[in-house]
Amino acid sequence: MANKIIFATGNQNKMREIREIYQDLDYEILSMKEAGIELDIVEDGTTFEENALIKAKAVAQCCDAVVLADDSGLEIDYLNKEPGVYSARYMGEDTSYEIKNANLIQRLEGVPKEQRTARFVCAVAAVFPDGTNKVVRGTIEGYIGYEPQGEHGFGYDPIFYVDAYGCSTASLEPEEKNRISHRGNALRMMKDELKKHENISCK
Ligand code: IMP
């Protein structure tokens, strides 16, 4: 029987992405729900890394599998890295991304392209059954466009443009975005660590 990874998320897109990236590892990958774990976790860290580790540690207390958790967001350099760890909560959790994106574009009014640099950041934390942990950070660099563009993705994708493609990440097919995304990069970075634990985790 394969080792188990529990990914501390309820997001099906993230589950699809992690399963694709780790398909060659000898792990069965379960969401929290699939593992029967229900928790309300307060993410009160001040960095992506802290929040990811808070989530992973909370879930690890409920099981003896490898637990992974992520925390992500958008950093805009001109706005002192806002919205950062508050990306989901920016302007209120219930405010639509149409409004949040329009607001960020407005705050950058008149700012030239060179100063509109931004990145998506994703920290992925792993807590292993032996009590050790590891946190990695993946990023994708880009800039905030002058108008929203594209129908794919979610959140800030319509305003986040990548130079290599000359379009927003909302204009990329999901597979293409996953190939270059902050979360994909962080999950790929964690792969070696998971391989090291493949044979010593609880079965
Ligand atoms: P979480 O890590 O899933 O809680 O995501 C935090 C927030 O960051 C999301 O609600 C989005 O606002 C933003 N975010 C994170 N990753 C992306 C992305 O790939 N595209 C667009 N927005 C993102």
Side-chain angles (χ1 to χ4, degrees):
M1 207 175 104
N3 297 317
K4 281 192 172 67
I5 289 176
I6 296 173
F7 192 23
T9 186
N11 181 321
Q12 282 310 312
N13 290 321
K14 289 186 185 178
M15 288 307 298
R16 211 171 304 125
E17 190 174 358
I18 190 174
R19 285 192 170 117
E20 188 188 312
I21 292 173
Y22 292 162
Q23 59 183 321
D24 56 324
L25 297 183
D26 187 24
Y27 281 99
E28 181 190 0
I29 304 170
L30 304 172
S31 67
M32 255 165 58
K33 194 172 168 203
E34 287 162 347
I37 299 171
E38 229 178 282
L39 276 181
D40 200 7
I41 305 165
V42 181
E43 297 172 35
D44 54 2
T46 55
T47 63
F48 296 108
E49 282 82 355
E50 269 175 36
N51 278 336
L53 198 51
I54 286 170
K55 274 188 260 185
K57 281 183 172 172
V59 175
Q61 284 185 343
C62 307
C63 61
D64 61 4
V66 175
V67 177
L68 290 183
D70 76 327
D71 192 51
S72 57
L74 174 69
E75 287 183 351
I76 301 174
D77 292 324
Y78 189 81
L79 302 179
N80 294 316
K81 304 208 170 163
E82 274 187 59
V85 288
Y86 302 105
S87 290
R89 287 164 276 175
Y90 182 66
M91 298 181 79
E93 294 258 10
D94 295 333
T95 304
S96 75
Y97 276 92
E98 219 177 325
I99 293 175
K100 295 185 197 209
N101 286 335
N103 169 270
L104 288 172
I105 285 180
Q106 198 224 322
R107 289 179 69 191
L108 294 183
E109 203 180 321
V111 177
K113 186 183 168 221
E114 320 79 77
Q115 291 178 46
R116 301 174 78 94
T117 50
R119 70 202 53 75
F120 279 130
V121 178
C122 177
V124 170
V127 174
F128 297 98
D130 63 6
T132 58
N133 67 65
K134 170 93 180 168
V135 188
V136 297
R137 168 181 281 228
T139 57
I140 173 174
E141 297 290 329
Y143 64 95
I144 303 302
Y146 292 88
E147 57 190 32
Q149 178 201 71
E151 301 299 327
H152 299 294
F154 67 101
Y156 300 104
D157 278 325
I159 62 167
F160 184 80
Y161 286 62
V162 180
D163 260 329
Y165 291 87
C167 67
S168 78
T169 43
S171 302
L172 298 176
E173 292 296 328
E175 297 74 29
E176 191 62 31
K177 185 190 158 196
N178 291 347
R179 214 172 54 73
I180 58 167
S181 81
H182 46 316
R183 190 168 299 101
N185 290 339
L187 288 171
R188 279 182 282 272
M189 284 166 78
M190 189 59 91
K191 220 170 174 177
D192 282 342
E193 204 62 33
L194 290 168
K195 279 186 188 157
K196 274 190 231 160
H197 285 78
E198 227 166 24
N199 299 315
I200 54 172
S201 306
C202 298
K203 300 234 169 186

